[in-house]
Amino acid sequence: MSDEWFLQTGHGVRFEWGPEGARRVGAHVACLVVVDVLSFTTAVTVAVEAGTAVHPYAWRDATAAAYARRVGARLAVGRREVTERSPWSLSPAALRRAPFTPRLVLPSPNGSAIAAAAGEAATVVAASLRNASAVGAWLARHGYGVRDRPVAVVAAGERWPDGTLRPALEDLLGAGAVVAALRERAPAVTPSPEARTAAAAFTGTPDPAAAVAACASGRELRGGGFPEDVAIATELDAASVVPVLSGGAFSSRPIADRN
């Protein structure tokens, strides 16, 4: 069986799930949009809004600390490990309260791992419900979404205890919001059936914020004592930043910039 069928070839806008989906489509598109609503890409929008360059990294371990030292960045800690000396974490709420740092290494086994693995093979953008419209406008402005300039929107998903992918509603809605925004601004784009269905999931959800708050991942975060993270993640189109990966870090690009 040919991998071609799974690359959604012939379509300018593609949709996939998780690290493996990103690996398969990433080498065959001009742009890869990573969506990890709870919470990597939401955290990226918060940090980038403050002027921080965010370095994605797959794991929070000794190698992450060494990498942070090498690039001259602070290392984000776990949500429950925030202290006065280490106030930066994957929690968007903690990042809003933390003092400014020019560079931050933000490990995450889902969205951050996908972004770090994608590297510079394609233009990599971080999207969430907070900045979906801005990302859609930026993609349209740069001509992404047509057959000779394809874009793949990848929902990061979560992981089951055995490490396998758990598709996550919040990331489906975030990815769908990006596709819907791109289609609205560039009607000539050619979405795959997968991308069209992701967009329909978002546009067909009467209250996406309520859906994210009530879904499994939202309940997990709220039950774990982080309701503010869910609230920030569901600030629909509150952010105008478009975080683009360059030189190993995400920083904001204006919608009208040129590649």
Side-chain angles (χ1 to χ4, degrees), residues 2-89:
S2 172
D3 278 350
E4 178 184 355
W5 311 122
F6 301 101
L7 299 177
Q8 300 169 43
T9 52
H11 299 287
V13 186
R14 307 171 191 183
F15 170 73
E16 258 300 346
W17 279 101
E20 181 62 17
R23 185 189 69 79
R24 287 180 178 270
V25 302
H28 303 274
V29 294
C31 182
L32 189 74
V33 179
V34 182
V35 181
D36 186 355
V37 171
L38 297 174
S39 295
F40 173 72
T41 52
T42 295
V44 170
T45 65
V46 171
V48 166
E49 280 178 316
T52 296
V54 178
H55 294 258
Y57 203 81
W59 304 106
R60 188 180 296 108
D61 56 14
T63 65
Y67 175 69
R69 289 192 295 271
R70 187 164 69 250
V71 299
R74 299 284 189 173
L75 176 62
V77 298
R79 275 188 172 88
R80 300 186 185 279
E81 299 167 2
V82 169
T83 64
E84 187 175 343
R85 294 186 61 183
S86 300
W88 303 278
S89 85

Side-chain angles (χ1 to χ4, degrees), residues 120-132:
E120 305 296 336
T123 299
V124 180
V125 179
S128 68
L129 288 167
R130 295 191 74 241
N131 70 335

Side-chain angles (χ1 to χ4, degrees), residues 69-238:
R69 289 192 295 271
R70 187 164 69 250
V71 299
R74 299 284 189 173
L75 176 62
V77 298
R79 275 188 172 88
R80 300 186 185 279
E81 299 167 2
V82 169
T83 64
E84 187 175 343
R85 294 186 61 183
S86 300
W88 303 278
S89 85
L90 189 62
S91 162
L95 289 180
R96 276 190 175 171
R97 292 189 290 266
F100 171 74
T101 182
R103 291 186 175 275
L104 180 69
V105 174
L106 190 60
S108 156
N110 301 310
S112 190
I114 291 171
E120 305 296 336
T123 299
V124 180
V125 179
S128 68
L129 288 167
R130 295 191 74 241
N131 70 335
S133 286
V135 170
W138 187 88
L139 293 170
R141 175 69 177 80
H142 291 285
Y144 291 114
V146 294
R147 292 187 181 185
D148 61 351
R149 199 163 165 78
V151 56
V153 183
V154 177
E158 297 292 340
R159 299 191 185 214
W160 291 112
D162 65 359
T164 55
L165 173 71
R166 175 174 73 80
L169 177 63
E170 69 274 11
D171 294 340
L172 174 63
L173 294 176
V178 172
V179 176
L182 173 56
R183 292 182 69 192
E184 181 180 349
R185 289 159 178 79
V189 299
T190 54
S192 67
E194 292 86 347
R196 287 180 183 273
T197 302
F202 173 74
T203 58
T205 299
D207 188 343
V212 172
C215 77
S217 302
R219 292 175 65 190
E220 179 186 31
L221 268 185
R222 290 189 295 113
F226 299 96
E228 194 177 354
D229 285 349
V230 179
I232 293 172
T234 53
E235 295 172 342
L236 301 181
D237 288 328

